[in-house]
C-alpha cells in the first residue's frame, strides 16, 4: 500500500519527502501512520527499481530539498498496479482506499470498471467478524451490544459503498 501511495501521489506531482509523507498520512489516517523509517526505505526501493528519481532543488527559504519524480517506468508500474490489484488490495479497506484514490490514473473505463466489480463481488459475499462454527453471524443474532454495533456499522458502510459502486459502474458504462 505504501509503494502504491508513493507512486500515486508522485503521479499527481513531483514532491519532496516531507510533503509526500503528509499526503500519505492524510490518506491512511491514524490507522496506519507513516514513519520516516518506513517511508524512506520504500522510496529507496522504488528509486533503485527505476520507478522514481530524486533531484535536488533549491529550497524556498531553507536548504536545498530532494524532490521525487516518477519515471516513465513508474507511471507504467502504477498503471499495472491499478489495473491488476492483488486480492488484499481489494479486501483490506485501507489498501482499497489507496487503490481507489489513484484509480483515476488508470485512464481506461473498462479496466476501472473491472477493478470496481472485483470490490463489489467481495462486498456481496456473506461475511461477518463473528461466526457460529462456519456460519457468519448477523448483527440481529448477537446479544453483545458492542459486537452488534461492529456488525451494524460494517453493514451500513458496505451498503453505502455498494450503492456508490453500482452508481459509478453505471456511469462508467460497466
Amino acid at each position: 500500500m505504501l509503494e502504491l501511495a508513493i507512486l500515486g501521489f508522485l503521479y499527481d506531482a513531483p514532491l519532496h519527502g516531507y510533503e509526500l509523507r503528509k499526503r500519505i498520512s492524510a490518506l491512511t489516517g491514524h490507522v496506519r501512520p507513516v514513519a520516516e523509517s518506513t517511508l524512506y526505505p520504500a522510496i529507496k526501493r522504488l528509486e533503485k527499481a527505476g520507478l522514481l528519481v530524486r533531484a535536488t532543488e533549491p529550497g524556498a527559504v531553507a536548504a536545498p530539498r530532494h524532490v521525487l519524480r516518477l519515471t516513465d517506468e513508474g507511471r507504467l508500474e502504477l498503471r499495472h498496479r491499478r489495473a491488476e490489484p492483488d486480492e488484499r488490495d481489494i479486501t483490506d479497506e485501507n489498501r482499497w482506499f489507496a487503490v481507489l484514490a489513484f484509480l483515476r490514473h488508470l485512464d481506461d473505463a473498462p479496466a476501472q470498471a473491472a477493478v470496481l466489480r472485483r470490490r463489489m463481488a467481495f462486498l456481496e459475499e456473506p461475511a461477518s467478524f463473528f461466526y457460529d462454527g462456519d456460519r457468519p453471524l448477523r448483527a440481529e443474532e448477537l446479544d453483545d451490544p458492542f459486537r452488534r454495533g461492529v456488525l451494524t456499522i460494517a453493514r451500513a458502510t458496505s451498503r453505502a459503498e455498494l450503492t456508490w459502486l453500482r452508481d459509478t459502474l453505471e456511469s462508467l458504462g460497466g
Side-chain angles (χ1 to χ4, degrees):
M1 191 222 38
L2 179 59
E3 289 184 359
L4 169 63
I6 292 168
L7 294 172
F9 281 120
L10 292 179
Y11 189 99
D12 290 338
L15 297 168
H16 58 87
Y18 175 74
E19 184 62 31
L20 181 60
R21 183 172 170 225
K22 278 182 23 185
R23 291 181 188 199
I24 293 170
S25 292
L27 177 64
T28 60
H30 67 281
V31 175
R32 295 198 177 151
V34 179
E36 287 182 27
S37 61
T38 305
L39 177 63
Y40 289 102
I43 288 171
K44 286 182 190 260
R45 281 193 307 275
L46 293 171
E47 189 175 19
K48 186 176 181 181
L51 303 179
L52 62 88
V53 294
R54 180 187 321 241
T56 303
E57 294 184 355
V61 194
R65 60 186 191 160
H66 298 284
V67 176
L68 305 165
R69 286 183 174 72
L70 276 189
T71 62
D72 290 341
E73 292 82 9
R75 290 179 179 283
L76 289 173
E77 179 65 17
L78 179 64
R79 185 187 192 311
H80 169 74
R81 289 185 187 201
R82 292 317 74 224
E84 299 175 26
D86 70 31
E87 193 61 25
R88 289 184 311 156
D89 290 340
I90 298 296
T91 61
D92 178 274
E93 185 173 278
N94 287 307
R95 292 173 67 114
W96 171 245
F97 282 170
V99 169
L100 202 53
F102 305 111
L103 196 57
R104 68 189 178 102
H105 297 315
L106 181 60
D107 55 356
D108 175 3
Q112 290 170 332
V115 173
L116 297 181
R117 279 193 298 277
R118 285 182 59 197
R119 176 68 175 183
M120 190 162 63
F122 164 71
L123 291 175
E124 289 175 335
E125 285 293 315
S128 179
F129 300 108
F130 312 108
Y131 289 81
D132 179 11
D134 289 340
R135 185 179 67 82
L137 293 173
R138 298 176 56 217
E140 297 77 17
E141 299 175 288
L142 295 170
D143 293 330
D144 180 334
F146 307 106
R147 286 188 170 195
R148 191 170 49 249
V150 168
L151 293 181
T152 300
I153 292 166
R155 181 180 356 175
T157 302
S158 291
R159 285 181 178 163
E161 186 175 350
L162 283 165
T163 298
W164 176 84
L165 284 164
R166 289 183 188 106
D167 291 347
T168 303
L169 281 166
E170 185 177 322
S171 74
L172 292 172

